[in-house]
Amino acid sequence: MSFMVIQDLKVHYPVRGGIFNQVVDTIRAVDGISMEFESGKAYGLVGESGCGKSTTGRAIIGLEKITSGRVIYEGVNVTNKRTKRKSSFNRDVQMIFQDAHSSLNPRKRVRDIIAEPIQNFLKLSLKEEERKISELLEIVGMPEDAKYKYPHEFSGGQKQRLGIARAIATNPKLIIADEPVSALDLSVQAQILNFMKDIQREFGLSYLFISHDLGVVKHMCDYISIMYKGRFVESGTKNDIYNNPQHIYTKRLLSAIPQVTPIGRERRKRERIKIENYYQEQYKNYFDENERVLDLIPISNTHHVAATLPMQKGGI
Ligand SMILES: Nc1ncnc2c1ncn2[C@@H]1O[C@H](COP(=O)(O)OP(=O)(O)O)[C@@H](O)[C@H]1O
Ligand SMILES: [Mg+2]
């Protein structure tokens, strides 16, 4: 049973110009996507920079105005409802960001940063609040004395741990994680990802895990949607996407994963050009005349793929 449903979500931005500053164009950052979230599952949103991943996450949680479509949380329409501060949706859905530094108030001590959601949503005495903050720091592997320090006193990985402590303070159901490890060194990335998996299991969390990195998404997610120009080209289980990719764009993304095979640079370049030419030739079958992704159709219970135009279907 899904606890949250996203129906045909669109976020469009007007582009103004001309001498009258009129609306001259529309950026279709998110252009009609649907999702269902089940408890304890991790959902991956993957695609190249600018395809609309962050806008999707921000729109769901209410940081970006939804142009059309709906967000239904536990049967309640919460579309564009972030302003109702103390609702269960605001308590149950939390977000962590790529840039932990700018999402932690630099003027506040760690203690007060973590106390904020606790004070907003949990009715605790001062003593209980203090204990809760200590407990959260322990969960994320930070020392007790971190409480009285400021964000700038910590490394990138530690700051991300503090961001996670704040996000889990209200015992949320879903954490939207927008590129949470992209700014970190590789070894720290692995630590944070494994830690996020641990707390997912421990607290029965769901994730909407946003990343441009297919390797990271593969490591973290049960279900994956591939995004291109504000639309999904393909959605499915990890197995569907990695072992049975259907859409040409998915195949292209997967083929871009760096290979460790020791082939020569020249040969790799020649092969890359061959592959690019092939994709360019095939692409016209997969998008409409405006390069808009066609609607998804189910090919199994779990696997959905954007349709192709009625021409021959490509394969590689
Ligand atoms: N506030 C905004 N006003 C206008 N365009 C925006 C705004 N925010 C994002 N965009 C545009 O929407 C598209 C999707 O952006 P974004 O969701 O940040 O992509 P991603 O996270 O996948 O890199 C981009 O073309 C971006 O320039
Ligand atoms: Mg982004």
Side-chain angles (χ1 to χ4, degrees), residues 13-14 27 29 47-56 64 178 210:
Y13 298 109
I27 293 175
E48 292 167 306
S49 175
C51 72
K53 304 181 297 295
S54 294
T55 307
T56 301
E64 214 66 56
D178 189 356
I210 296 173

Side-chain angles (χ1 to χ4, degrees), residues 105-123:
N105 187 337
R107 282 180 233 280
K108 285 192 171 175
R109 292 176 199 270
V110 164
R111 191 216 164 277
D112 298 321
I113 290 173
I114 299 176
E116 200 176 14
I118 295 174
Q119 288 163 1
N120 279 340
F121 295 106
L122 310 178
K123 289 195 169 67

